Amino acid sequence: EAIRTSSYAMTYAHMGSWKSNLFNGELELSKEFMALLDVQTKEEVHISFADFLTRYVVPEDRKMVLQFYSTISANEYDKANETSTCCQVLTAKGRMRYLFVKGKVTEDGNSFGVAQDITTQKEAEQALLNSEQKFRLLAEHSEDIITVNSIDGHLQYISPSVERLLGYTQKEVEGGNIINYVHPDDIGKFSPTESSRPLAETEFITIRYRMRCKNQDYIWLESIIKPVKENNQVVKLICTSRNITGRRNVEIEREQLLSEAKQSEELLR
């Protein structure tokens, strides 16, 4: 049941998982990952990293994806290190999509990660740069919550999907600060740390946190935050947020099961 729920959550969030054998470079792509590439399958697909690179990744992004994969391999003894990148892929149906990909080395010495379709966000970013009217047209038809924030977190614009996901109307939240809706235990995730790169040097930031709905319940959101610069200064932030409550609940359940199994093993020693 947990596996089925996880699969549904991945599909709903336009995400898929991948595994890699660091020794021979073979990739195992989940059926949800393959769906992002417009390939329908009932089981995982095995493909070499080289074949994946040439078959799906656009030529101008192949060097960047190769660097991403090499960085993970170089950190094989640092299990806490997580690497991420963003690339364009050409799907089996000839559609151009943007994927946000992240991964890390696992305990068995291989690597594991997830990919998320962020095409809507990328199109919104470009539309905002080109035309305010086009940006709003894209944002207002998006399933995700798309926001334009000032540097201090005030919401200058929020897409209508906020009402479906959180229960608030646009007028109720625009002008307010996002921190007012974040769970108290997660507010610290929005503050820079000593190891954080300056915002002006950051391509994007990913944050997972709990957000308060109008009915006072909390749901888990994953936000990809893109700094927008003018004259080399960050002037605003574009954020795309998705509901990952189902996926997060599955992760918590799995962590609890692993913890209970470990405790049982210790009791039997």
mmCIF file of all heavy atoms in Angstrom, residues 45-90:
data_model
loop_
_atom_site.group_PDB
_atom_site.id
_atom_site.type_symbol
_atom_site.label_atom_id
_atom_site.label_comp_id
_atom_site.label_asym_id
_atom_site.label_seq_id
_atom_site.Cartn_x
_atom_site.Cartn_y
_atom_site.Cartn_z
ATOM 1 N N VAL A 45 12.759 0.959 -16.098
ATOM 2 C CA VAL A 45 13.510 0.824 -17.344
ATOM 3 C C VAL A 45 14.995 0.948 -17.038
ATOM 4 O O VAL A 45 15.416 1.858 -16.321
ATOM 5 C CB VAL A 45 13.088 1.905 -18.361
ATOM 6 C CG1 VAL A 45 14.028 1.921 -19.560
ATOM 7 C CG2 VAL A 45 11.654 1.676 -18.813
ATOM 8 N N HIS A 46 15.786 0.022 -17.572
ATOM 9 C CA HIS A 46 17.235 0.049 -17.395
ATOM 10 C C HIS A 46 17.878 0.584 -18.670
ATOM 11 O O HIS A 46 17.576 0.118 -19.772
ATOM 12 C CB HIS A 46 17.767 -1.349 -17.075
ATOM 13 C CG HIS A 46 17.308 -1.866 -15.750
ATOM 14 N ND1 HIS A 46 18.069 -1.768 -14.602
ATOM 15 C CD2 HIS A 46 16.143 -2.462 -15.379
ATOM 16 C CE1 HIS A 46 17.409 -2.292 -13.585
ATOM 17 N NE2 HIS A 46 16.234 -2.712 -14.033
ATOM 18 N N ILE A 47 18.751 1.556 -18.511
ATOM 19 C CA ILE A 47 19.395 2.199 -19.651
ATOM 20 C C ILE A 47 20.747 2.725 -19.195
ATOM 21 O O ILE A 47 20.908 3.122 -18.036
ATOM 22 C CB ILE A 47 18.507 3.353 -20.192
ATOM 23 C CG1 ILE A 47 19.116 3.998 -21.429
ATOM 24 C CG2 ILE A 47 18.251 4.389 -19.116
ATOM 25 C CD1 ILE A 47 18.210 5.059 -22.076
ATOM 26 N N SER A 48 21.722 2.704 -20.078
ATOM 27 C CA SER A 48 23.032 3.234 -19.700
ATOM 28 C C SER A 48 22.948 4.752 -19.609
ATOM 29 O O SER A 48 22.120 5.392 -20.288
ATOM 30 C CB SER A 48 24.104 2.829 -20.715
ATOM 31 O OG SER A 48 23.931 3.524 -21.935
ATOM 32 N N PHE A 49 23.810 5.325 -18.784
ATOM 33 C CA PHE A 49 23.816 6.783 -18.641
ATOM 34 C C PHE A 49 24.118 7.441 -19.980
ATOM 35 O O PHE A 49 23.502 8.461 -20.338
ATOM 36 C CB PHE A 49 24.855 7.211 -17.599
ATOM 37 C CG PHE A 49 25.011 8.691 -17.473
ATOM 38 C CD1 PHE A 49 24.047 9.458 -16.834
ATOM 39 C CD2 PHE A 49 26.118 9.331 -18.018
ATOM 40 C CE1 PHE A 49 24.176 10.841 -16.735
ATOM 41 C CE2 PHE A 49 26.253 10.711 -17.915
ATOM 42 C CZ PHE A 49 25.293 11.465 -17.273
ATOM 43 N N ALA A 50 25.036 6.858 -20.746
ATOM 44 C CA ALA A 50 25.405 7.420 -22.047
ATOM 45 C C ALA A 50 24.207 7.424 -22.999
ATOM 46 O O ALA A 50 23.969 8.403 -23.717
ATOM 47 C CB ALA A 50 26.561 6.629 -22.654
ATOM 48 N N ASP A 51 23.431 6.335 -23.007
ATOM 49 C CA ASP A 51 22.254 6.269 -23.876
ATOM 50 C C ASP A 51 21.196 7.280 -23.449
ATOM 51 O O ASP A 51 20.557 7.919 -24.285
ATOM 52 C CB ASP A 51 21.657 4.853 -23.855
ATOM 53 C CG ASP A 51 22.468 3.871 -24.681
ATOM 54 O OD1 ASP A 51 23.329 4.327 -25.457
ATOM 55 O OD2 ASP A 51 22.244 2.649 -24.541
ATOM 56 N N PHE A 52 20.989 7.414 -22.146
ATOM 57 C CA PHE A 52 20.020 8.392 -21.644
ATOM 58 C C PHE A 52 20.424 9.797 -22.071
ATOM 59 O O PHE A 52 19.588 10.595 -22.513
ATOM 60 C CB PHE A 52 19.928 8.316 -20.121
ATOM 61 C CG PHE A 52 19.104 9.411 -19.503
ATOM 62 C CD1 PHE A 52 17.717 9.352 -19.529
ATOM 63 C CD2 PHE A 52 19.715 10.511 -18.921
ATOM 64 C CE1 PHE A 52 16.953 10.374 -18.979
ATOM 65 C CE2 PHE A 52 18.957 11.532 -18.368
ATOM 66 C CZ PHE A 52 17.572 11.461 -18.397
ATOM 67 N N LEU A 53 21.713 10.082 -21.949
ATOM 68 C CA LEU A 53 22.221 11.416 -22.273
ATOM 69 C C LEU A 53 21.957 11.756 -23.742
ATOM 70 O O LEU A 53 21.467 12.847 -24.063
ATOM 71 C CB LEU A 53 23.726 11.473 -21.973
ATOM 72 C CG LEU A 53 24.360 12.837 -21.700
ATOM 73 C CD1 LEU A 53 23.756 13.467 -20.462
ATOM 74 C CD2 LEU A 53 25.866 12.688 -21.532
ATOM 75 N N THR A 54 22.265 10.826 -24.631
ATOM 76 C CA THR A 54 22.126 11.100 -26.058
ATOM 77 C C THR A 54 20.682 10.985 -26.549
ATOM 78 O O THR A 54 20.284 11.659 -27.494
ATOM 79 C CB THR A 54 23.008 10.143 -26.879
ATOM 80 O OG1 THR A 54 22.687 8.781 -26.543
ATOM 81 C CG2 THR A 54 24.477 10.380 -26.586
ATOM 82 N N ARG A 55 19.893 10.152 -25.900
ATOM 83 C CA ARG A 55 18.519 9.929 -26.357
ATOM 84 C C ARG A 55 17.559 11.025 -25.899
ATOM 85 O O ARG A 55 16.643 11.400 -26.640
ATOM 86 C CB ARG A 55 18.018 8.571 -25.864
ATOM 87 C CG ARG A 55 16.661 8.176 -26.451
ATOM 88 C CD ARG A 55 16.220 6.812 -25.956
ATOM 89 N NE ARG A 55 17.199 5.773 -26.249
ATOM 90 C CZ ARG A 55 17.038 4.487 -25.904
ATOM 91 N NH1 ARG A 55 15.936 4.108 -25.251
ATOM 92 N NH2 ARG A 55 17.963 3.601 -26.202
ATOM 93 N N TYR A 56 17.764 11.554 -24.684
ATOM 94 C CA TYR A 56 16.772 12.476 -24.126
ATOM 95 C C TYR A 56 17.283 13.892 -23.835
ATOM 96 O O TYR A 56 16.525 14.849 -23.975
ATOM 97 C CB TYR A 56 16.188 11.882 -22.843
ATOM 98 C CG TYR A 56 15.407 10.612 -23.062
ATOM 99 C CD1 TYR A 56 15.895 9.378 -22.635
ATOM 100 C CD2 TYR A 56 14.176 10.637 -23.720
ATOM 101 C CE1 TYR A 56 15.180 8.204 -22.848
ATOM 102 C CE2 TYR A 56 13.453 9.466 -23.931
ATOM 103 C CZ TYR A 56 13.960 8.260 -23.495
ATOM 104 O OH TYR A 56 13.248 7.100 -23.711
ATOM 105 N N VAL A 57 18.524 14.032 -23.372
ATOM 106 C CA VAL A 57 19.013 15.357 -22.966
ATOM 107 C C VAL A 57 19.422 16.166 -24.194
ATOM 108 O O VAL A 57 20.115 15.649 -25.083
ATOM 109 C CB VAL A 57 20.207 15.228 -21.999
ATOM 110 C CG1 VAL A 57 20.696 16.619 -21.560
ATOM 111 C CG2 VAL A 57 19.814 14.407 -20.773
ATOM 112 N N VAL A 58 18.980 17.425 -24.249
ATOM 113 C CA VAL A 58 19.323 18.265 -25.398
ATOM 114 C C VAL A 58 20.836 18.495 -25.420
ATOM 115 O O VAL A 58 21.483 18.553 -24.361
ATOM 116 C CB VAL A 58 18.571 19.612 -25.351
ATOM 117 C CG1 VAL A 58 17.059 19.390 -25.406
ATOM 118 C CG2 VAL A 58 18.946 20.408 -24.110
ATOM 119 N N PRO A 59 21.434 18.608 -26.609
ATOM 120 C CA PRO A 59 22.898 18.707 -26.728
ATOM 121 C C PRO A 59 23.535 19.785 -25.859
ATOM 122 O O PRO A 59 24.589 19.553 -25.254
ATOM 123 C CB PRO A 59 23.103 19.005 -28.225
ATOM 124 C CG PRO A 59 21.930 18.351 -28.884
ATOM 125 C CD PRO A 59 20.779 18.564 -27.938
ATOM 126 N N GLU A 60 22.909 20.954 -25.768
ATOM 127 C CA GLU A 60 23.522 22.056 -25.017
ATOM 128 C C GLU A 60 23.548 21.817 -23.507
ATOM 129 O O GLU A 60 24.260 22.514 -22.781
ATOM 130 C CB GLU A 60 22.824 23.386 -25.318
ATOM 131 C CG GLU A 60 21.332 23.393 -25.082
ATOM 132 C CD GLU A 60 20.539 23.035 -26.323
ATOM 133 O OE1 GLU A 60 21.034 22.226 -27.137
ATOM 134 O OE2 GLU A 60 19.427 23.579 -26.482
ATOM 135 N N ASP A 61 22.777 20.839 -23.017
ATOM 136 C CA ASP A 61 22.741 20.565 -21.575
ATOM 137 C C ASP A 61 23.490 19.282 -21.194
ATOM 138 O O ASP A 61 23.568 18.940 -20.012
ATOM 139 C CB ASP A 61 21.290 20.460 -21.083
ATOM 140 C CG ASP A 61 20.617 21.823 -20.968
ATOM 141 O OD1 ASP A 61 21.309 22.832 -21.169
ATOM 142 O OD2 ASP A 61 19.409 21.866 -20.679
ATOM 143 N N ARG A 62 24.015 18.556 -22.160
ATOM 144 C CA ARG A 62 24.647 17.272 -21.865
ATOM 145 C C ARG A 62 25.895 17.418 -21.001
ATOM 146 O O ARG A 62 26.124 16.618 -20.089
ATOM 147 C CB ARG A 62 24.999 16.542 -23.175
ATOM 148 C CG ARG A 62 23.756 16.023 -23.896
ATOM 149 C CD ARG A 62 24.078 15.473 -25.271
ATOM 150 N NE ARG A 62 22.849 15.132 -25.979
ATOM 151 C CZ ARG A 62 22.788 14.815 -27.257
ATOM 152 N NH1 ARG A 62 23.910 14.802 -27.986
ATOM 153 N NH2 ARG A 62 21.629 14.521 -27.817
ATOM 154 N N LYS A 63 26.685 18.445 -21.259
ATOM 155 C CA LYS A 63 27.888 18.663 -20.458
ATOM 156 C C LYS A 63 27.519 18.939 -19.002
ATOM 157 O O LYS A 63 28.180 18.434 -18.084
ATOM 158 C CB LYS A 63 28.694 19.833 -21.034
ATOM 159 C CG LYS A 63 30.012 20.085 -20.311
ATOM 160 C CD LYS A 63 30.803 21.205 -20.985
ATOM 161 C CE LYS A 63 32.122 21.454 -20.256
ATOM 162 N NZ LYS A 63 32.887 22.557 -20.912
ATOM 163 N N MET A 64 26.460 19.701 -18.780
ATOM 164 C CA MET A 64 26.014 20.034 -17.424
ATOM 165 C C MET A 64 25.502 18.784 -16.695
ATOM 166 O O MET A 64 25.801 18.573 -15.515
ATOM 167 C CB MET A 64 24.906 21.080 -17.493
ATOM 168 C CG MET A 64 24.350 21.525 -16.150
ATOM 169 S SD MET A 64 23.207 22.906 -16.363
ATOM 170 C CE MET A 64 22.001 22.203 -17.491
ATOM 171 N N VAL A 65 24.748 17.928 -17.395
ATOM 172 C CA VAL A 65 24.235 16.705 -16.783
ATOM 173 C C VAL A 65 25.381 15.742 -16.492
ATOM 174 O O VAL A 65 25.394 15.062 -15.459
ATOM 175 C CB VAL A 65 23.182 16.040 -17.695
ATOM 176 C CG1 VAL A 65 22.742 14.698 -17.121
ATOM 177 C CG2 VAL A 65 21.975 16.957 -17.851
ATOM 178 N N LEU A 66 26.359 15.681 -17.381
ATOM 179 C CA LEU A 66 27.537 14.840 -17.151
ATOM 180 C C LEU A 66 28.295 15.313 -15.913
ATOM 181 O O LEU A 66 28.751 14.504 -15.099
ATOM 182 C CB LEU A 66 28.445 14.872 -18.378
ATOM 183 C CG LEU A 66 29.732 14.040 -18.296
ATOM 184 C CD1 LEU A 66 29.409 12.566 -18.063
ATOM 185 C CD2 LEU A 66 30.554 14.205 -19.570
ATOM 186 N N GLN A 67 28.396 16.632 -15.750
ATOM 187 C CA GLN A 67 29.050 17.188 -14.565
ATOM 188 C C GLN A 67 28.276 16.846 -13.304
ATOM 189 O O GLN A 67 28.858 16.516 -12.263
ATOM 190 C CB GLN A 67 29.178 18.713 -14.708
ATOM 191 C CG GLN A 67 29.851 19.405 -13.529
ATOM 192 C CD GLN A 67 31.275 18.923 -13.308
ATOM 193 O OE1 GLN A 67 32.043 18.800 -14.265
ATOM 194 N NE2 GLN A 67 31.626 18.640 -12.059
ATOM 195 N N PHE A 68 26.949 16.892 -13.382
ATOM 196 C CA PHE A 68 26.079 16.522 -12.263
ATOM 197 C C PHE A 68 26.344 15.073 -11.838
ATOM 198 O O PHE A 68 26.538 14.772 -10.662
ATOM 199 C CB PHE A 68 24.622 16.707 -12.685
ATOM 200 C CG PHE A 68 23.613 15.982 -11.829
ATOM 201 C CD1 PHE A 68 23.244 16.476 -10.594
ATOM 202 C CD2 PHE A 68 23.027 14.803 -12.285
ATOM 203 C CE1 PHE A 68 22.305 15.814 -9.811
ATOM 204 C CE2 PHE A 68 22.086 14.139 -11.510
ATOM 205 C CZ PHE A 68 21.720 14.638 -10.276
ATOM 206 N N TYR A 69 26.380 14.174 -12.811
ATOM 207 C CA TYR A 69 26.596 12.750 -12.532
ATOM 208 C C TYR A 69 28.007 12.508 -11.984
ATOM 209 O O TYR A 69 28.199 11.727 -11.052
ATOM 210 C CB TYR A 69 26.374 11.949 -13.811
ATOM 211 C CG TYR A 69 26.301 10.451 -13.607
ATOM 212 C CD1 TYR A 69 25.167 9.868 -13.059
ATOM 213 C CD2 TYR A 69 27.362 9.637 -13.970
ATOM 214 C CE1 TYR A 69 25.092 8.499 -12.873
ATOM 215 C CE2 TYR A 69 27.301 8.259 -13.792
ATOM 216 C CZ TYR A 69 26.165 7.701 -13.245
ATOM 217 O OH TYR A 69 26.095 6.338 -13.059
ATOM 218 N N SER A 70 28.980 13.221 -12.537
ATOM 219 C CA SER A 70 30.369 13.073 -12.079
ATOM 220 C C SER A 70 30.535 13.562 -10.645
ATOM 221 O O SER A 70 31.295 12.993 -9.858
ATOM 222 C CB SER A 70 31.318 13.841 -13.012
ATOM 223 O OG SER A 70 31.245 13.350 -14.325
ATOM 224 N N THR A 71 29.811 14.637 -10.300
ATOM 225 C CA THR A 71 29.891 15.182 -8.944
ATOM 226 C C THR A 71 29.355 14.178 -7.926
ATOM 227 O O THR A 71 29.928 14.006 -6.848
ATOM 228 C CB THR A 71 29.097 16.499 -8.850
ATOM 229 O OG1 THR A 71 29.637 17.441 -9.766
ATOM 230 C CG2 THR A 71 29.175 17.076 -7.441
ATOM 231 N N ILE A 72 28.250 13.514 -8.270
ATOM 232 C CA ILE A 72 27.706 12.491 -7.377
ATOM 233 C C ILE A 72 28.714 11.370 -7.190
ATOM 234 O O ILE A 72 28.975 10.917 -6.073
ATOM 235 C CB ILE A 72 26.382 11.930 -7.932
ATOM 236 C CG1 ILE A 72 25.294 13.004 -7.901
ATOM 237 C CG2 ILE A 72 25.930 10.715 -7.118
ATOM 238 C CD1 ILE A 72 23.971 12.562 -8.490
ATOM 239 N N SER A 73 29.316 10.910 -8.291
ATOM 240 C CA SER A 73 30.309 9.826 -8.220
ATOM 241 C C SER A 73 31.508 10.223 -7.374
ATOM 242 O O SER A 73 32.045 9.414 -6.615
ATOM 243 C CB SER A 73 30.762 9.444 -9.631
ATOM 244 O OG SER A 73 29.676 9.007 -10.421
ATOM 245 N N ALA A 74 31.922 11.485 -7.489
ATOM 246 C CA ALA A 74 33.079 11.965 -6.734
ATOM 247 C C ALA A 74 32.802 12.023 -5.238
ATOM 248 O O ALA A 74 33.732 12.005 -4.425
ATOM 249 C CB ALA A 74 33.499 13.343 -7.246
ATOM 250 N N ASN A 75 31.518 12.069 -4.863
ATOM 251 C CA ASN A 75 31.134 12.149 -3.452
ATOM 252 C C ASN A 75 30.642 10.809 -2.912
ATOM 253 O O ASN A 75 29.795 10.772 -2.020
ATOM 254 C CB ASN A 75 30.046 13.206 -3.256
ATOM 255 C CG ASN A 75 30.558 14.605 -3.484
ATOM 256 O OD1 ASN A 75 31.616 14.976 -3.007
ATOM 257 N ND2 ASN A 75 29.806 15.402 -4.241
ATOM 258 N N GLU A 76 31.157 9.716 -3.464
ATOM 259 C CA GLU A 76 30.651 8.395 -3.083
ATOM 260 C C GLU A 76 30.863 8.070 -1.607
ATOM 261 O O GLU A 76 30.170 7.220 -1.054
ATOM 262 C CB GLU A 76 31.295 7.312 -3.945
ATOM 263 C CG GLU A 76 32.815 7.204 -3.814
ATOM 264 C CD GLU A 76 33.354 6.055 -4.637
ATOM 265 O OE1 GLU A 76 32.832 4.928 -4.484
ATOM 266 O OE2 GLU A 76 34.292 6.267 -5.434
ATOM 267 N N TYR A 77 31.802 8.748 -0.945
ATOM 268 C CA TYR A 77 32.033 8.477 0.476
ATOM 269 C C TYR A 77 31.347 9.518 1.376
ATOM 270 O O TYR A 77 31.449 9.451 2.591
ATOM 271 C CB TYR A 77 33.534 8.447 0.770
ATOM 272 C CG TYR A 77 34.259 7.365 0.010
ATOM 273 C CD1 TYR A 77 35.139 7.690 -1.020
ATOM 274 C CD2 TYR A 77 34.015 6.006 0.278
ATOM 275 C CE1 TYR A 77 35.791 6.698 -1.740
ATOM 276 C CE2 TYR A 77 34.659 5.010 -0.444
ATOM 277 C CZ TYR A 77 35.549 5.362 -1.448
ATOM 278 O OH TYR A 77 36.177 4.374 -2.166
ATOM 279 N N ASP A 78 30.680 10.470 0.748
ATOM 280 C CA ASP A 78 29.970 11.510 1.510
ATOM 281 C C ASP A 78 28.474 11.305 1.306
ATOM 282 O O ASP A 78 27.860 11.863 0.404
ATOM 283 C CB ASP A 78 30.392 12.900 1.021
ATOM 284 C CG ASP A 78 29.756 14.016 1.848
ATOM 285 O OD1 ASP A 78 29.020 13.703 2.814
ATOM 286 O OD2 ASP A 78 29.995 15.201 1.524
ATOM 287 N N LYS A 79 27.879 10.474 2.157
ATOM 288 C CA LYS A 79 26.470 10.094 1.987
ATOM 289 C C LYS A 79 25.518 11.266 2.212
ATOM 290 O O LYS A 79 24.369 11.219 1.787
ATOM 291 C CB LYS A 79 26.113 8.956 2.960
ATOM 292 C CG LYS A 79 27.004 7.705 2.826
ATOM 293 C CD LYS A 79 26.850 7.061 1.476
ATOM 294 C CE LYS A 79 27.542 5.710 1.385
ATOM 295 N NZ LYS A 79 28.995 5.786 1.546
ATOM 296 N N ALA A 80 25.976 12.328 2.876
ATOM 297 C CA ALA A 80 25.092 13.455 3.183
ATOM 298 C C ALA A 80 25.054 14.483 2.050
ATOM 299 O O ALA A 80 24.193 15.346 2.023
ATOM 300 C CB ALA A 80 25.541 14.135 4.481
ATOM 301 N N ASN A 81 25.986 14.365 1.119
ATOM 302 C CA ASN A 81 26.072 15.355 0.050
ATOM 303 C C ASN A 81 24.986 15.124 -0.997
ATOM 304 O O ASN A 81 24.835 14.028 -1.523
ATOM 305 C CB ASN A 81 27.454 15.285 -0.614
ATOM 306 C CG ASN A 81 27.673 16.417 -1.600
ATOM 307 O OD1 ASN A 81 27.096 16.438 -2.677
ATOM 308 N ND2 ASN A 81 28.514 17.356 -1.227
ATOM 309 N N GLU A 82 24.211 16.153 -1.290
ATOM 310 C CA GLU A 82 23.152 16.067 -2.296
ATOM 311 C C GLU A 82 23.442 17.060 -3.407
ATOM 312 O O GLU A 82 23.728 18.220 -3.147
ATOM 313 C CB GLU A 82 21.789 16.363 -1.669
ATOM 314 C CG GLU A 82 20.625 16.132 -2.613
ATOM 315 C CD GLU A 82 19.274 16.290 -1.910
ATOM 316 O OE1 GLU A 82 18.761 15.287 -1.384
ATOM 317 O OE2 GLU A 82 18.761 17.426 -1.898
ATOM 318 N N THR A 83 23.390 16.582 -4.644
ATOM 319 C CA THR A 83 23.709 17.397 -5.809
ATOM 320 C C THR A 83 22.454 17.590 -6.655
ATOM 321 O O THR A 83 21.623 16.692 -6.743
ATOM 322 C CB THR A 83 24.797 16.704 -6.659
ATOM 323 O OG1 THR A 83 25.931 16.422 -5.837
ATOM 324 C CG2 THR A 83 25.231 17.595 -7.807
ATOM 325 N N SER A 84 22.320 18.745 -7.283
ATOM 326 C CA SER A 84 21.135 19.000 -8.100
ATOM 327 C C SER A 84 21.505 19.787 -9.346
ATOM 328 O O SER A 84 22.543 20.451 -9.404
ATOM 329 C CB SER A 84 20.076 19.754 -7.298
ATOM 330 O OG SER A 84 20.570 21.012 -6.871
ATOM 331 N N THR A 85 20.626 19.705 -10.334
ATOM 332 C CA THR A 85 20.810 20.462 -11.563
ATOM 333 C C THR A 85 19.462 20.599 -12.255
ATOM 334 O O THR A 85 18.472 19.973 -11.864
ATOM 335 C CB THR A 85 21.826 19.782 -12.507
ATOM 336 O OG1 THR A 85 22.172 20.677 -13.562
ATOM 337 C CG2 THR A 85 21.244 18.512 -13.117
ATOM 338 N N CYS A 86 19.416 21.392 -13.297
ATOM 339 C CA CYS A 86 18.212 21.569 -14.105
ATOM 340 C C CYS A 86 18.612 21.426 -15.563
ATOM 341 O O CYS A 86 19.634 21.984 -15.994
ATOM 342 C CB CYS A 86 17.601 22.944 -13.839
ATOM 343 S SG CYS A 86 16.121 23.286 -14.837
ATOM 344 N N CYS A 87 17.837 20.650 -16.319
ATOM 345 C CA CYS A 87 18.198 20.439 -17.720
ATOM 346 C C CYS A 87 16.950 20.327 -18.580
ATOM 347 O O CYS A 87 15.840 20.095 -18.084
ATOM 348 C CB CYS A 87 19.050 19.179 -17.866
ATOM 349 S SG CYS A 87 18.172 17.646 -17.474
ATOM 350 N N GLN A 88 17.135 20.475 -19.884
ATOM 351 C CA GLN A 88 16.062 20.296 -20.848
ATOM 352 C C GLN A 88 16.158 18.904 -21.461
ATOM 353 O O GLN A 88 17.259 18.425 -21.768
ATOM 354 C CB GLN A 88 16.154 21.336 -21.962
ATOM 355 C CG GLN A 88 15.632 22.708 -21.599
ATOM 356 C CD GLN A 88 15.674 23.637 -22.797
ATOM 357 O OE1 GLN A 88 16.731 24.134 -23.169
ATOM 358 N NE2 GLN A 88 14.533 23.861 -23.403
ATOM 359 N N VAL A 89 15.006 18.270 -21.633
ATOM 360 C CA VAL A 89 14.968 16.966 -22.286
ATOM 361 C C VAL A 89 13.968 17.019 -23.434
ATOM 362 O O VAL A 89 13.025 17.814 -23.428
ATOM 363 C CB VAL A 89 14.569 15.837 -21.307
ATOM 364 C CG1 VAL A 89 15.601 15.674 -20.204
ATOM 365 C CG2 VAL A 89 13.184 16.090 -20.708
ATOM 366 N N LEU A 90 14.197 16.157 -24.422
ATOM 367 C CA LEU A 90 13.267 15.998 -25.535
ATOM 368 C C LEU A 90 12.589 14.653 -25.340
ATOM 369 O O LEU A 90 13.237 13.609 -25.371
ATOM 370 C CB LEU A 90 14.012 16.039 -26.869
ATOM 371 C CG LEU A 90 13.147 16.121 -28.130
ATOM 372 C CD1 LEU A 90 12.374 17.437 -28.150
ATOM 373 C CD2 LEU A 90 14.019 15.995 -29.373
#
